[in-house]
Amino acid sequence: MINILVTGGNGQLATCIKDIESNYSNLNIIYTDSDTLDITDFKAVQSFFNNKTIHYCINCAAYTAVDKAESEQQIAKEINTLGPSNLARVCKDNNTTLIQISTDFVFKGDKSVAYIETDTTIPTGIYALTKLEGEQEIVKYLKQHFIIRTSWLYSENGNNFMKTMIKLSHDRNELNVVADQIGTPTYATDLAETILKIITTNHQEYGIYHYSNEGVASWYDFAKAIFEEAHINIKVLPIKTKEYPTPAKRPHFSVLDKSKIKTSLNIEIPYWRDSLKKALSNYNG
């Protein structure tokens, strides 16, 4: 039996792991949230690991309010940087492999080809900076790590773009959606499957990996696809980023190159629109 600790147990990704864990009979998964395990408290993390054998820790805990982070810098830093640092140090002492979820936002977004893992990181906001610093803390303290950078996570669980678009369509006839930010929507259940595959196949090629669904889209493309697949009749108008100013700057282009995770870890990746169909078929909103 493989013992796994999942932090951020009430969040979107952790909920997707819960949804599929019954497919993996050899996994014993413990879910915690901030009430049962405060990852920003080193002694609390140490104490939680005491007298337990934890083979893997999946850190789904994160401060993800990108714009709010600009004014709540300390909270973002505690959760996104200090938390992973604490987990890495305790995982090292307990021979535990840490799987950290990171973000495409660590890149500036000024390229025109997909980012590989070794490209220069230039975060442009507090959220992105604290996530990058979290990565750096893990690399500093712990060899046994998988840092998975992903992008535009959505699912039938939690708060995300897909669900927001559907809710907005209930009382609007048209929507303006940014069309000059390019990336890839990622179905959180696909990411959850990938994480559990890494664990169950006992991969030890540690390091930083990129994972998103296949393909490229703008937020406008994503919105259009959601409404088409959900058979919702609404007018969607493309706008520029400058027409929708936000406190935090977003990368204009943050497509992730997945060659490394496909070859090194033998991961198959679905096309984003195929995964969107699955998400919508599971959503009752």
Side-chain angles (χ1 to χ4, degrees), residues 70 105-109 122-126 128-129 247-251:
E70 297 298 310
F105 277 33
V106 299
F107 298 112
K108 186 176 181 181
I122 308 175
T124 58
I126 297 301
L129 176 62
K249 187 179 178 184
R250 268 78 168 165

Side-chain angles (χ1 to χ4, degrees), residues 31-90:
Y31 296 90
T32 61
D33 57 23
S34 57
D35 292 331
T36 52
L37 176 60
D38 179 2
I39 64 169
T40 69
D41 182 338
F42 179 74
K43 288 188 176 177
V45 178
Q46 262 190 328
S47 176
F48 190 89
F49 273 71
N50 280 347
N51 304 316
K52 294 184 187 74
T53 300
I54 299 174
H55 301 106
Y56 288 86
C57 173
I58 307 169
N59 183 27
C60 297
Y63 182 105
T64 57
V66 176
D67 291 319
K68 216 171 169 186
E70 297 298 310
S71 57
E72 294 188 347
Q73 298 185 15
Q74 187 58 37
I75 300 171
K77 189 173 182 69
E78 286 177 4
I79 298 170
N80 292 345
T81 305
L82 179 60
S85 178
N86 290 339
L87 288 171
R89 287 188 286 161
V90 174

Side-chain angles (χ1 to χ4, degrees), residues 222-268:
F222 190 15
K224 288 279 286 183
I226 290 165
F227 297 132
E228 285 172 17
E229 298 293 351
H231 306 292
I232 295 171
N233 185 21
I234 185 171
K235 190 173 185 179
V236 185
L237 302 172
I239 61 169
K240 296 182 188 296
T241 298
K242 64 183 180 184
E243 296 175 68
Y244 186 72
T246 55
K249 187 179 178 184
R250 268 78 168 165
H252 278 287
F253 183 92
S254 61
V255 178
L256 300 173
D257 185 300
K258 280 83 67 175
S259 301
K260 181 181 176 185
I261 200 166
K262 287 190 281 190
T263 55
S264 298
L265 305 183
N266 194 30
I267 300 296
E268 294 181 6

Side-chain angles (χ1 to χ4, degrees), residues 152-195:
W152 299 20
L153 272 190
Y154 73 94
S155 70
E156 56 275 22
N157 301 310
N159 298 312
N160 56 70
F161 185 81
M162 181 189 84
K163 290 173 70 175
T164 298
M165 288 297 103
I166 292 172
K167 285 173 187 171
L168 289 174
S169 74
H170 291 159
D171 54 13
R172 297 193 194 182
N173 295 318
E174 70 176 41
L175 284 171
N176 296 328
V177 183
V178 170
D180 59 354
Q181 292 174 25
I182 310 298
T184 309
T186 305
Y187 184 30
T189 299
D190 290 340
L191 177 57
E193 292 275 13
T194 294
I195 292 167

